[in-house]
Every structure is written in structure tokens, then in C-alpha cells.
Amino acid sequence: MKIFLTFISCIMWLASSAQQEKRNTFHLVDTATNKPLTVSVSIVRAKLAITTENDGVFMIPGDLKLMTDTIIFSVQNYDQLKMSLKALEGLDTLRLSKAILKNNYIKSTFLKDTLLNDFEDSDVVYFAGLHQNGEGFNYLQLAQRFDIDKTNSRLDAIQLNRLSFNINTNHDIVNNDKMYDYLDIEYTKFKVRIYDIDPATGKPGKDLCTDIIEIKIADSKKARIDLKKYNIIIPNKTFFVAVEWMRDYYNAHYTYVFNYKRDAEKIISYKPAIGILPISNKNLNIWAMDTSRNWIPYDTFSPFGTDLAIKAKVAYN
């Protein structure tokens, strides 16, 4: 019901009001085991996305035959399923198949290590993941690029900084200035993805960790994550660390934005909001995955903020 309520609040434009009573319910399962999957579901042109709960159930209201958008189902370590909304008509179960993955395991003793993208916590005052320009944050993942001098190194740990409270934004018409109300932030969870570089495009490529890394934090502004047990080998000299938002009921929060007419608009965002470093590198090192699941440069803070507040500890020989 929670997933349905989130979707119905966003998707009503896809069908006329006369058709809203119809509810199309779908179950997302593993092809081999028939077990439910927690799936990232995105509707491309509408720029809508949710993460299903553990039961793999989600609903779409309206007459599917009249809908012209494309829907994408994605789970780490599974083949992506992409289809038109019309093609869902008459279905109740969607099956996703596991991808064939190659293990990059290297047995080695790493004698040295280095810390990449180091920063002072107090320098992080800007955050990505909140609303922007009066709209919700419509990206599924943000990825930070890292470069190292050695190949076949091992990613041992990361630290990322996030906003440790929620924000409501108001606007002072007289002084033409923004005012903020700071609210307590609640428990949040998200996934960490590690990607190789795509040599053809320079964008994030294939997953370098076949395990699902799900992080849960409460009121801390820092998440220190030990990755040694995953033995994540970085085959090339460039890799990416990404945050994948779990866009579910528990991670949703609402921001009220007031415009010059004093009208309040309620905007949905999803925790966490990831820190931006106050630096300007010559290269933009942040990539964003849109609802089409394409990687694009994330230049919202450019040229001021070219890097996410994510540091990485890498071991090498």
C-alpha cells in the first residue's frame, strides 16, 4: 500500500481521472526461484522512480493501454527489464533473470595503501539529493570518480558525508533571500555501488562488487564503511563509488518550498542528501544516473563543486 500511495501521487497525469479507479498490481520475482525481489522501478519520461519493498509488489493506477511511457526494472546482479507501460496490460508477475557475472578475485597481499579525495568534515556545507529548482531530486544514483596510479588495487574502505538533518525552505520577499528551517532527520538506508570505468565512454561501467552493500545509519553525518570482506579489486586506474537511493516509503521526506506568491509547494525527496566538496577541480568528477538509467555529468554545483564528499582507501602493491 505504501508503494501504491507514493506512485499514485506522482503518476496521475498518465491517465484520465475517469480511469483512476483501476489498480494494476504486479509482483517482481526471481526467474529461477520465484522469490520476490526488491527492485528499482523507474518511468522514463515522467521522471518517476520508486524502490519496491521486500515483497516485490508495486501498483500503477489507470488504464495501461492508454499510457505511452517506458518503464525500467533494475536490480543489482540481474539483467535489466525495459518495456512500454502498455505491455504491462494483462500481466501480474514480472520475472527478472540473474546476470552472468565474472568474479575479479585476485589473491594477493597488499602492502601499501592510500587515501583518495580526503577532506575536512567541516568543509562540507552543500548537499546533493534535495529538491532543486522547485523540483524533486530525479536521479537514481550519484557516482564519484577516483583515479589511482596502480592497476589491480583493492578498495578497502570509504567514508561519505551526508546531511544530518532535514530542511524546509522559505523565501523572504522583502530581502530576496532564502530562509531555512532545520528539522531532525530520521534513520535512512541506501546502497553503495562500485563501478569500473567504461573504456568507451569514460562513464561508470560494470559492477565491481557482486554483493549488495546496504548501509543503514541514524543521526550520524558520516558513514564509515569497511569493504575489506568484499575483496573489491579495481582492475583499471579509474573507478567510481556510487550512492543508490532506495526510494521507498521510509526514506521519503517532504520539503515545503514557498514562492513569491507565498504559495507552498510540497516536494518529495529521498534520504540521504550527499555532501558536495567546496572545490573546483579542472574535471567534473560527479556522474548522475537519470530515470532512463543513463549516466550523465552532474553539473548542478559546477564550477564550484566538482566532487562528492566521498573518500576512498585503496590498497596496492
Side-chain angles (χ1 to χ4, degrees):
M1 177 60 70
K2 296 167 185 173
I3 292 298
F4 170 71
L5 290 175
T6 301
F7 240 48
I8 197 171
S9 65
C10 300
I11 202 175
M12 292 186 69
W13 68 275
L14 288 170
S16 69
S17 58
Q19 296 151 349
Q20 290 303 309
E21 294 183 358
K22 183 178 180 181
R23 298 183 182 183
N24 306 282
T25 303
F26 304 94
H27 298 77
L28 295 161
V29 302
D30 180 287
T31 298
T33 66
N34 215 37
K35 292 182 178 179
L37 297 171
T38 302
V39 181
S40 172
V41 184
S42 58
I43 298 180
V44 175
R45 290 200 304 276
K47 295 183 179 180
L48 304 176
I50 62 164
T51 304
T52 68
E53 296 184 33
N54 294 335
D55 58 7
V57 175
F58 78 102
M59 302 179 189
I60 298 179
D63 189 344
L64 293 168
K65 297 190 297 294
L66 301 179
M67 300 182 186
T68 58
D69 214 328
T70 300
I71 191 166
I72 301 175
F73 306 94
S74 181
V75 187
Q76 184 177 349
N77 301 333
Y78 282 77
D79 292 328
Q80 179 177 282
L81 178 61
K82 182 177 181 180
M83 59 199 305
S84 68
L85 285 171
K86 290 181 180 179
L88 292 174
E89 177 68 26
L91 300 178
D92 61 7
T93 302
L94 299 169
R95 304 181 185 278
L96 282 74
S97 301
K98 278 198 170 183
I100 299 175
L101 303 171
K102 182 179 179 181
N103 195 325
N104 292 320
Y105 183 81
I106 293 179
K107 187 176 182 179
S108 178
T109 301
F110 296 91
L111 303 176
K112 303 176 182 179
D113 61 60
T114 186
L115 186 61
L116 306 176
N117 203 35
D118 196 12
F119 56 85
E120 294 292 333
D121 295 336
S122 58
D123 291 338
V124 181
V125 294
Y126 293 93
F127 300 89
L130 301 169
H131 67 275
Q132 51 193 35
N133 300 323
E135 297 182 357
F137 183 77
N138 292 322
Y139 298 108
L140 307 181
Q141 297 183 38
L142 283 184
Q144 169 67 28
R145 172 178 170 143
F146 293 94
D147 295 289
I148 191 171
D149 294 332
K150 301 285 186 177
T151 59
N152 292 321
S153 56
R154 185 184 68 200
L155 180 59
D156 279 355
I158 63 170
Q159 177 189 306
L160 63 86
N161 284 42
R162 62 126 182 181
L163 187 67
S164 56
F165 43 79
N166 199 351
I167 293 180
N168 274 349
T169 307
N170 202 342
H171 203 101
D172 183 345
I173 297 176
V174 175
N175 299 311
N176 192 27
D177 195 13
K178 286 184 177 179
M179 302 177 293
Y180 300 99
D181 296 324
Y182 298 97
L183 310 175
D184 291 336
I185 201 157
E186 300 176 350
Y187 153 95
T188 185
K189 59 183 179 179
F190 57 92
K191 293 180 181 179
V192 171
R193 304 285 289 270
I194 313 299
Y195 295 106
D196 195 7
I197 187 172
D198 183 332
T201 64
K203 302 177 182 181
K206 66 179 181 179
D207 276 290
L208 292 175
C209 182
T210 57
D211 293 281
I212 294 177
I213 306 172
E214 184 176 306
I215 307 302
K216 300 176 182 179
I217 51 178
D219 58 353
S220 175
K221 68 178 181 180
K222 290 183 288 189
R224 296 187 179 95
I225 305 164
D226 189 340
L227 300 173
K228 284 184 180 179
K229 67 179 181 180
Y230 300 110
N231 194 58
I232 303 171
I233 302 301
I234 311 299
N236 296 300
K237 294 182 178 181
T238 298
F239 67 98
F240 299 83
V241 175
V243 171
E244 179 178 3
W245 273 266
M246 299 180 70
R247 298 167 66 103
D248 56 19
Y249 176 83
Y250 297 101
N251 275 321
H253 65 249
Y254 302 94
T255 304
Y256 292 89
V257 179
F258 294 83
N259 58 32
Y260 286 98
K261 296 180 180 180
R262 290 296 187 184
D263 296 325
E265 182 178 0
K266 187 177 181 180
I267 297 176
I268 300 176
S269 295
Y270 293 88
K271 299 170 285 188
I274 304 301
I276 297 289
L277 295 186
I279 58 175
S280 299
N281 281 319
K282 64 178 181 179
N283 296 319
L284 177 60
N285 293 316
I286 309 174
W287 290 84
M289 178 184 284
D290 63 20
T291 52
S292 300
R293 305 200 70 84
N294 294 320
W295 288 105
I296 59 176
Y298 183 73
D299 58 2
T300 301
F301 292 86
S302 292
F304 169 75
T306 56
D307 292 78
L308 294 174
I310 301 178
K311 59 181 75 175
K313 183 180 179 182
V314 175
Y316 60 94
N317 289 318

